Structures are given as structure tokens and as C-alpha cells.
Amino acid sequence: MTRAIVIGGGLHGMSTAIHLRHKGVPTVLLEKNVTGQHASGVNAGGVRRLRRHPAEIPLAVAALERWMNLPSLLGRHAALCGFVAGVGQIAIAENDADLRWIEQRAAEVRTLGWTHEEVIDRAELRRLVPALAEHCIAGLISRQDGHAVPYLTSQAFRLRALELGVELHEQARVVGLDRTADGWRVIASRGAFEADLVVNCGGAWAWQVAEMIGEHLPRTYFAPSMMVTARMPRFLEPVVLGIGRKLSFKQSETGTVVIGGGINGTPDLDGDRADPRPERLPISARTVCDLFPIMRRAVIVRTWAGLEACMPDEIPVIGPSIVAPGLFHAFGFSGHGFALSPVVGALLAELIAEGRSSLSLEAFRADRFNSTGQA
Amino acid sequence: MNQCDLAVIGAGPAGMAAATEGARLGLDTLLLDEQVAPGGQIYRNAEGMRPGDFALLGDEYRRGAELAAAFRASGAHYEPGSTIWHVGADGTLGVLTGTGARLISARRVILAPGAMERPVAIPGWTLPGVMGAGAAQTLLKASGQVPDVPVVIAGSGPLTWLIACQLARAGVAISALLVTTPADRIARALGHLPRALRAGGELLKGIGWIREARSRGIRIVTGVTALAVQGEGRAEALTFTTASGRDSIPASIMLLHEGVIPRIHLSLAARCRHVWDEAQLCWKPETDAWGATSLDRIAVAGDAGGIMGASAAETLGRLAALDAASRLGRISTVERDRTAEPQRAALARHTTVRPLLDQLFRPLAGLLTPDDDATIICRCEEVTMADLRDAVAQGATDANCAKLLTRCGMGPCQGRMCGPAVAAVIARAQNVPVEAVGTWRIRFPVRPLPLAALAALEGGLDAEPEE
Amino acid sequence: MFRKMHPPATAVTIFVDGQPVSADAADSVAAVLLAAGVVRSRNSAVSTSPRAPYCMMGVCFECLVEIDGEPDRQACLTPVRADMHVRTVPA
């Protein structure tokens, strides 16, 4: 009987565990802190196909379909995610340079055979985002995209995983990985576990797990920071992204405005925490006030930062280990893994159980990096 | 000013004394406070008191004016109307004033934000007309305002007796003083009496208030539990239980009080280590005898480091300033220790009564976890007892998990009003001690920060550095 | 519900929901609202239930009002000013 151990209790780990259980694989999930703590539960919550790296587009398109059918993945916990569908994600062009980028991008995506990204003119942009500043001239929209609430989504995945019989151990940090005759022996702070297969969903710490078996993968990580305002009267439905400047901007269902975009905070990998930096956030605040005049009256009530791996080419590692059979990776989502979690877990489970995945994972191979960790 | 040797936050007795001493010792000192005039809470409007006011408030309030005058004459810089929204372990402070937000840098920081009333949820406590007893005292001191309708005072602690006397002296009708302090405590607390009598003043003062309240004929009800506010759109009656059963008093103003606890949001944000004080049932920053915390540049003085009262707060402020001067190389440790001796003696005198007060007025078990599941615990986000119990059932093991699941603590007050209760609910549901549940993870802005002020932050970066 | 014990040294006029209110120039906005008989100074953000100042020292955030067009200002920490416009309900 095949047994699996998943390392890492973020959404990708939990999604993989859930899908392994769908295939009847007994699964243990080891999380060194608490599920969803570092990236999955604390990001901007965007569910987008918009502006994906070409390699990620098929995954993002498939993922959105799964978000539209959450009950089949999460059962009665689906509603907890707070998924808002079909409001659109829009990248905003403020000037001609941005507009040229949008037009080139739209053409590129069409050439690849996708139709979900569309250039919209000033009139349509103003219709969809009436609160946007006057100087914005165009947009790139993916109309069916949406957003969800990260921590609640993580909670929903957790509840579903437990319901399906995933053996979850939190505060269980993996400190060693040994090959055995039948597979693996995983040594964690809570004890040792044995299985045929291991899945490394260790996020910013995944490279450390890889090192335990002598596999050298990029060690890069970052601490993207976020801020949220007090509740405001509703003025925005779609999620807005910046082009020339960093911005990820949405108004949640409670009326609070969530501001992200990748301004870096201070990561502390060994300390398992990350903090935003006050001197860096004014850049983001200015971007927001420039793009949305209504925000000049907004009040920030909270900031935080996540801790996530970032690959040199900014797309994840998904697939088998280079050095050892029976070990699979899914990490390095570089700040845009949240939306992909429903499908990545499914693909990994297919790969593990059937030896092939229904979508190509070629672009995400672990051996694409050269000896210095570059792609 | 954007750089200083010593930044003191809070202009109560600890802060005023620390800043005064810091300046006296030759440190470039800055005192920041959110109010428009010095005094903090206990000495609110210290500089605006008229001679007649002391008959109403009590003679001890004269001390506030003395401290304020000494501070004004000290040469320390003073920035009133300043909100602190960030405290960095490296001595960086985020300050917000009417003209904008900026980052300043201090070689040493003394946090002296003082105490707040222990927030205790009872059914209906969010209705207009329900206030803390301290709120009524602030209105009295700062604005010369008193209720013009009969009031009910309910709870436990010296302030309940004091405010009853003060309001009565001002001609306010007090329908009742409902005392939740258990009667059997008094017997046990009297075990501390011989030691406390050395403190003389503090204890006699308190006994005086009790005597005065009785002599004024105020209806005093003891053994009170299960307070609840009734009313539609505003407070209309306060119900309670005694040995005789359930009773109710009509009132449109109710003053609730269950002691005071340290204000810890600044020290949490700086990431000082905190410890649980079992005697006072509160979290406080871990400090040494000089108020130094687990962080090199940060010290705490006054009630923010543990409830000791106003007189002790002054001495603690001076001790923290002496230590700052020594650490910054202004004076030797020998001189520091020598100069500190009279302050240590005074501190000992002022804290003799503390164990008795702590034991006498210790909140009853279950005070923070009302039986009525519909009771709102997080006022900002209207999260109820039932919601919190659900969160625990869903796996929330600490306050931060509960926050993410229910939104408790995500409102403007950032968990100041619900923190103690949330921790108590989780602890009780999991059958663990409260200190195992931990505290909020607090980050800047410690107070809400206007986005426009952040956008124009003086000391902020114009572009993200390459990394 | 509250009365002033002494007449103000300096009185100013502010506007509360458009109505002129006489205020002691030395008072906080919250104190002025209470002295003027305002019972409900805001509706809660979640359920619109009525709220009023609770702590008078800046920790409870119940006293949030709109002052001169700026929302969510703590009335107990804001001194009054002549001709200040305070709104307890959004315009």
C-alpha cells in the first residue's frame, strides 16, 4: 500500500494531501508551525489568470475552473473561502509605456491560444472602475477572475484535509530525510514517519528539505508585505494590479481595502516570521493615493508580511526530485501560488499515482536551474 | 526633531519624571504624548486645575501640577498631540501629528503609556451610556463635566470608591455602588495589613473613600455578580445577581470598572518579551530593576510595566532615566546606583500596599468569560462569545488564530478591548492557563495611520532598494 | 446626559450634524458631544448598532466621528476648534 508524507502545511501541501486522499493514499502532513501561516494565509487572495507567466497560464485557467467548483474539492467547507467570482482582475495603464506593454502582452497571449486577457479602453476602464484616477488610460482585463480570503481558504483546506483522513501534525519540523528499502524515513521534531513517497511543499524552507537529500535548489525567498484599511463604503469590485509600479489592490467583502504588490519586508527564515518595514510602505501608499483619490481619506489599521520562496525565473518547481525517486516538489510559487493551489495538488496526485499529469509540468522541472541556481 | 538621545513616550507621572530626569542628566530628551497637555490619565489637565478643584478631586492631584512644572522647566523637548504608530527595536519611532507622519531615531526609548481600565464584557455593554469609571473621571478632570442624571457604579477596585465620592461631592445622584469584590477576600487581604500599614497614606486614603461613600448614604450592594445592561438603543437598566437573587436598577449612565492593566501595545509592537503577572492577571513587559526590557534600546516605566500606581510611577520614570544616562555614557553605573538610592527607597514605600490591593481586588475567575453566549467580546467587529467558542472548536489555539477566523482584534482598537477576554475564552475552552494562549502579534501601525500621512512619510524611502 | 460644572473660560461654536453647538474651547470633541446631550455618536461598522464614547482615553475607538470631512477621528483625543464640523452620521 502506497503511503505518502507531505512536508509543509500551506495550501499546496494541503491540496496535495486532499488529492492524494481522493486516490485513497494514506497521507501524513507535517507542518513546522501552523497550517497556512507563512504565505497561503496571508497573501492578497487574488484568484487570477491575468498576467501569468506563459508556463503558468494553463494551470491558472484550470485552477479557476476548480475555484468555480469549490464544493467538489472542499465539500461543505467551500463557502468558508469567501471566493468572489467574475469581478475581474485589471492591470492599469497609466501612460503610453504601460499601454504598449498591455498591447504586446495581449498579442502574446492570443498567439499562445488564450482569449481570457483583453485590452479595454478608457471608457470601459472607467465603467468598471469608476473610482480610478482620471489619468489612467487603458487596462488589461481578465473578466472572470476573482479573489478569496486567504486565511479562511487555508482553514477550509485544513478542515477538508482532516475530514478526508489526512493525519496532520503541526509544530512538527522536519529535520532529516533518510532513504529506506521501501521509501523514506522522515525525522521530525514530533517523531519519525515512514512512507513510500514524500512531497516537498516547504515554501521558503523547501530548499532546506531538498538539501537533506543532497538536492541543491535555489534558496531565494522574500517577505512581501501587505496593509489593510478600516472598512470603507464600497467603491471597487474588480481587483486592480499596477503595471509600471507595484500594486495589488482590492476591496474585501467586509469593505476593508487590502493593499499589496510585493513591497519587501524583513524575512527571518530561522525565526519563522517576517515583518513589514515602515520606511518602504510610503511608495505603496503613494501609488494607491495616485490611482484612487478616494484612498486619500483611508486609514491603515494593520500591516503584515509573509514568507515565501521566490525562484530565479519566478515560476515554481513542480515535479519529481532530480536526485531521488519517490520524492516530489511543489514550491517556489514566488508570490502567486494562492490561486493555483486547487490544481497543483491535483496534478501532483496524478503524477504520483499514475505517473503522468494531465497538464504539462515541463516548465517547472527541478533540473532547469544551472549550478549557480539560475534558470 | 528627528533624532535624540532619549525619547519618552507618555506624559503621565512616569513619563514626566523620566523626561525631567533625563534632561537634568544632560541627555537630549524628547517627550511625546498624544494628549494636548501633560499629565497622562491620572493627572489629566494637571496644569488646568483651579484651587477649588482639589476639594472635589482630592489633594493628591496637586502632584500632577508639580511634575508638569518641573518637566516644563527641565529643558526637555515636548511634542504634545503626537501619536506613536511604530516602535522599532532599534529605537526608530513612527510619529503622527497634525502636520504629518515621520520616523525619528532615538538612542534609547522609555515607553510610559501607562494603564487602561481592564475591559470586561457584560451583556449590553456596547450600549450608549455605558462607560468606564475612568471615563467619568476624565470628564471630571479634563472638562469639569459630571452626569446630570443618576448613575450606577459597578465593579471592583479603588477607583469605584473614589469616583463615587468625587461625583457625590459634585452633587451627582448615585443610585448605587454595586461591588463585585468578594467579601471573603477582605479577610485574606487583611493578612497583608501589618506590612501595608507601613505604607500609611495609600491605604488610609482608600479607607477614607469607603467611609465617605457610606457616610453620604450611597446605596452599596456587595457580593454582586452577573452584571448585564438592558436597554433599546441606549442603556436603561443594570441588572445583577446577589445572594438575594436577581435585581435591577434603572440608569442611563453606568460606570463599570474592574481594575487597570498595563497598556502593552507599544511594547508588543517593539517585540519586547512579555510575562504573565498572575497576581494582577495581566501581561506586562519583562523588565529589570531599571525598567530595561529584553531589547537593548527599549525600557518601560510606570504602570505600563505593571500596575504600581502614580507615586511609584514617578520613581520608576527616574530610575529608567538614570539607567538611560548610564547606558548612554553620561554617568557611570556607580553614580547611577548612588543617585538611585532615594528613588529605590521611595519605590519600596509606594509599593508596600500593592500586594494587598492586588489580592483584594483580584478579578474573579470567569469574569472575562460571561455566561451569556450572545455577549459581544470584540466591540469593533461584534464578535460574540459564541463566535469565539466556534473558532476554538475549529482549531484556533491562540489569539492570533482566533483573530483570523472571527475578525476579533481586526477593528480599529486592534484588540485592546477584547484581548484579555479572547485569551480567557480560548484558555478556558482548551483548559490551559491563560499565559499559554499568548498575546496578539502586533505590528505597526500601533494606532491607525492615515494612508495620506504614510504616503508623505518623512523619513520614508522614495524607491525600493535593490536586493 | 452630562453637564458642565462651570461656564467655559472661552466658548466657541461647532457644528454637529449641521446643527450649531456651543462648546468649551478647552474640551475634546467627545466631551462636547456628551455635554450637548448626544447619546449615539456613531453606528457600529458591522451592524449599525448605536455606539457612544466608552473610555475617554483613546483605547476603545468607540468615539469615532467625522471631523471636517475626515472619517474615523477619535473624538476624545481631538480638541474642538471654532467652526469645526462634526458628523455622527455620514452626510
Side-chain angles (χ1 to χ4, degrees):
Chain A
M1 163 63 101
T2 306
R3 297 167 41 87
I5 292 171
V6 176
I7 300 173
L11 280 172
H12 295 283
M14 290 194 284
S15 177
T16 302
I18 287 170
H19 286 95
L20 285 171
R21 290 303 298 138
H22 284 168
K23 297 197 183 287
V25 177
T27 304
V28 167
L29 193 147
L30 301 174
E31 160 55 47
K32 67 173 168 53
N33 301 112
V34 171
T35 57
Q37 180 168 335
H38 295 294
S40 295
V42 294
N43 56 74
V47 178
R48 64 177 173 89
R49 301 166 303 175
L50 181 74
R51 215 167 67 177
R52 289 273 174 185
H53 185 289
E56 278 187 359
I57 294 178
L59 269 64
V61 169
L64 184 60
E65 284 169 27
R66 287 167 191 262
W67 279 94
M68 301 297 291
N69 291 293
L70 275 180
S72 57
L73 175 62
L74 298 174
R76 65 196 170 94
H77 306 294
L80 186 59
C81 300
F83 173 53
V84 176
V87 290
Q89 291 233 5
I90 310 176
I92 306 293
E94 294 185 71
N95 51 46
D96 287 338
D98 291 349
L99 179 56
R100 274 195 300 280
W101 181 90
I102 282 183
E103 288 165 345
Q104 275 178 322
R105 165 73 188 187
E108 182 191 335
V109 171
R110 270 195 306 273
T111 307
L112 291 171
W114 303 103
T115 55
H116 58 272
E117 290 190 13
E118 176 194 336
V119 178
I120 54 176
D121 64 11
R122 200 171 178 285
E124 177 69 352
L125 180 61
R126 296 221 67 78
R127 186 183 74 82
L128 291 169
V129 192
L132 198 54
E134 290 291 317
H135 72 273
C136 299
I137 57 178
L140 181 71
I141 187 172
S142 178
R143 290 186 189 267
Q144 296 312 310
D145 292 4
H147 57 88
V149 183
Y151 191 82
L152 296 179
T153 300
S154 298
Q155 180 68 359
F157 273 67
R158 174 212 177 92
L159 290 171
R160 184 63 172 163
L162 290 170
E163 205 168 64
L164 293 176
V166 171
E167 190 186 311
L168 170 65
H169 297 274
E170 288 173 303
Q171 311 299 344
R173 179 184 298 265
V174 171
V175 296
L177 266 180
D178 296 326
R179 281 225 64 108
T180 66
D182 308 310
W184 296 97
R185 185 176 157 81
V186 179
I187 300 132
S189 54
R190 286 268 166 117
F193 301 83
E194 302 211 341
D196 309 84
L197 310 153
V198 167
V199 187
N200 176 18
C201 298
W205 298 265
W207 66 270
Q208 295 177 350
V209 175
E211 289 294 323
M212 291 176 198
I213 59 166
E215 184 165 3
H216 307 302
L217 293 170
R219 304 179 174 205
T220 37
Y221 56 91
F222 69 137
S225 56
M226 314 263 322
M227 1 185 213
V228 69
T229 68
R231 292 165 191 253
M232 298 177 69
R234 179 144 305 277
F235 67 90
L236 179 67
E237 295 292 342
V239 178
V240 166
L241 303 181
I243 294 175
R245 13 190 192 171
K246 291 188 176 185
L247 183 67
S248 154
F249 186 81
K250 78 174 192 195
Q251 185 169 28
S252 72
E253 294 306 281
T254 59
T256 63
V257 176
V258 181
I259 303 166
I263 301 283
N264 281 325
T266 309
D268 179 359
L269 208 61
D270 294 333
D272 289 328
R273 68 174 283 156
D275 291 287
R277 300 177 68 136
E279 72 278 12
R280 292 187 177 183
L281 291 177
I283 302 161
S284 183
R286 282 196 289 276
T287 300
V288 170
C289 290
D290 285 348
L291 287 173
F292 289 93
I294 191 177
M295 294 300 290
R296 290 165 201 168
R297 295 280 196 218
V299 176
I300 300 297
V301 296
R302 225 162 49 254
T303 66
W304 66 93
L307 200 38
E308 165 69 314
C310 187
M311 295 296 97
D313 52 3
E314 294 187 25
I315 57 173
V317 175
I318 309 174
S321 156
I322 313 164
V323 312
L327 190 138
F328 299 83
H329 300 294
F331 72 93
F333 290 87
S334 307
H336 38 81
F338 176 76
L340 304 179
S341 51
V343 75
V344 168
L347 293 172
L348 267 182
E350 288 169 6
L351 191 61
I352 288 169
E354 290 132 35
R356 54 181 299 281
S357 56
S358 52
L359 290 176
S360 170
L361 297 175
E362 266 300 298
F364 309 112
R365 295 168 59 93
D367 60 1
R368 70 184 191 266
F369 307 105
N370 64 23
S371 57
T372 59
Q374 301 300 304
Chain B
M1 62 188 296
N2 290 338
Q3 286 190 316
C4 60
D5 290 333
L6 177 64
V8 180
I9 298 176
M16 287 191 285
T20 304
E21 187 70 8
R24 188 187 72 78
L25 292 164
L27 296 174
D28 192 20
T29 302
L30 170 63
L31 176 61
L32 298 145
D33 185 73
E34 64 193 359
Q35 302 283 351
V36 297
Q41 302 311 318
I42 186 80
Y43 296 130
R44 192 76 181 254
N45 197 22
E47 295 176 323
M49 290 288 164
R50 288 166 292 190
D53 295 330
F54 298 110
L56 185 55
L57 296 169
D59 268 333
E60 56 266 25
Y61 289 101
R62 297 181 192 278
R63 188 66 187 141
E66 290 163 16
L67 288 170
F71 165 65
R72 293 274 193 192
S74 70
H77 301 277
Y78 176 39
E79 289 192 19
S82 296
T83 298
I84 304 300
W85 53 269
H86 170 61
V87 182
D90 63 354
T92 304
L93 296 174
V95 182
L96 176 69
T97 65
T99 52
R102 71 193 206 279
L103 292 172
I104 69 177
S105 169
R107 293 171 66 205
R108 191 150 185 82
V109 176
I110 296 177
L111 302 174
M116 58 180 279
E117 294 192 87
R118 186 189 310 271
V120 178
I122 61 174
W125 71 310
T126 58
L127 286 168
V130 182
M131 305 174 79
Q137 206 181 54
T138 293
L139 281 162
L140 181 59
K141 291 176 197 168
S143 310
Q145 277 176 215
V146 293
D148 64 357
V149 294
V151 305
V152 175
I153 302 166
S156 175
L159 183 56
T160 57
W161 297 97
L162 176 57
I163 193 68
C165 294
Q166 291 170 332
L167 292 179
R169 292 169 197 160
V172 176
I174 299 176
S175 302
L177 170 51
L178 305 179
V179 181
T180 56
T181 320
D184 68 314
R185 287 273 181 80
I186 300 176
R188 244 182 301 140
L190 288 175
H192 288 290
L193 196 52
R195 189 168 162 239
L197 281 175
R198 265 183 275 134
E202 296 268 359
L203 195 58
L204 290 175
K205 219 171 43 182
I207 291 172
W209 299 334
I210 296 173
R211 270 213 219 108
E212 180 182 340
R214 289 190 200 283
S215 74
R216 286 182 177 273
I218 296 173
R219 178 185 167 202
I220 296 165
V221 182
T222 56
V224 169
T225 60
L227 292 165
V229 181
Q230 314 283 341
E232 283 295 319
R234 63 186 297 173
E236 289 167 350
L238 188 59
T239 60
F240 57 98
T241 299
T242 62
S244 329
R246 198 99 185 119
D247 200 351
S248 174
I249 299 180
S252 53
I253 293 183
M254 296 149 191
L255 305 178
L256 308 179
H257 183 77
E258 288 282 349
V260 293
I261 57 175
R263 293 180 71 173
I264 58 172
H265 264 54
L266 291 176
S267 47
L268 283 177
R271 297 182 57 195
C272 300
R273 226 173 3 248
H274 285 68
V275 293
W276 177 253
D277 186 326
E278 184 60 26
Q280 297 188 344
L281 292 179
C282 62
W283 286 96
K284 63 186 185 188
E286 184 186 76
T287 53
D288 70 5
W290 301 97
T293 67
S294 58
L295 298 174
D296 272 343
R297 295 199 173 200
I298 316 283
V300 175
D303 275 357
I307 306 303
M308 305 274 212
S311 305
E314 281 182 46
T315 64
L316 291 165
R318 286 183 203 106
L319 290 170
L322 278 166
D323 191 44
S326 157
R327 284 165 176 263
L328 295 179
R330 272 285 172 178
I331 61 176
S332 67
T333 51
V334 169
E335 192 185 336
R336 175 196 68 173
D337 295 348
R338 194 175 38 78
T339 315
E341 278 170 20
Q343 299 302 318
R344 294 238 174 259
L347 182 61
R349 283 197 309 277
H350 294 312
T351 51
T352 320
V353 74
R354 188 48 49 181
L356 183 151
L357 292 177
D358 286 350
Q359 193 164 89
L360 184 53
F361 297 117
R362 197 160 185 274
L364 281 168
L367 178 71
L368 294 177
T369 52
D371 287 328
D372 184 345
D373 254 12
T375 309
I376 290 176
I377 298 297
C378 166
R379 299 171 62 113
C380 296
E381 295 288 322
E382 299 201 29
V383 179
T384 64
M385 278 291 290
D387 295 330
L388 285 172
R389 290 198 219 274
D390 280 347
V392 175
Q394 277 194 49
T397 49
D398 66 18
N400 298 296
C401 288
K403 176 170 163 182
L404 288 162
L405 285 177
T406 65
R407 293 192 58 84
C408 70
M410 286 192 182
C413 94
Q414 299 180 337
R416 287 168 174 83
M417 298 298 282
C418 62
V422 169
V425 170
I426 294 173
R428 189 152 141 182
Q430 296 193 303
N431 205 21
V432 300
V434 173
E435 57 262 45
V437 175
T439 58
W440 299 121
R441 196 178 301 128
I442 300 292
R443 293 191 173 88
F444 74 88
V446 185
R447 298 286 299 284
L449 179 63
L451 188 66
L454 180 60
L457 179 69
E458 194 187 312
L461 295 176
D462 286 330
E464 230 193 325
E466 299 297 316
E467 270 172 333
Chain C
M1 289 207 291
F2 281 82
R3 63 175 170 85
K4 292 194 76 73
M5 292 191 296
H6 311 291
T10 312
V12 293
T13 300
I14 71 167
F15 297 87
V16 179
D17 295 326
Q19 299 304 311
V21 169
S22 181
D24 183 334
D27 276 350
S28 67
V29 173
V32 170
L33 292 176
L34 290 169
V38 171
V39 172
R40 179 205 55 81
S41 60
R42 74 175 183 110
N43 290 332
S44 107
V46 177
S47 72
T48 72
S49 53
R51 300 294 179 93
Y54 183 89
C55 77
M56 289 300 295
M57 60 174 281
V59 296
C60 75
F61 290 78
E62 290 288 1
C63 63
L64 300 177
V65 291
E66 183 188 288
I67 295 178
D68 292 335
E70 277 191 52
D72 298 330
R73 297 282 307 279
Q74 284 175 285
C76 74
L77 291 177
T78 311
V80 290
R81 217 186 16 81
D83 296 328
M84 178 183 270
H85 283 260
V86 177
R87 295 209 66 91
T88 66
V89 270

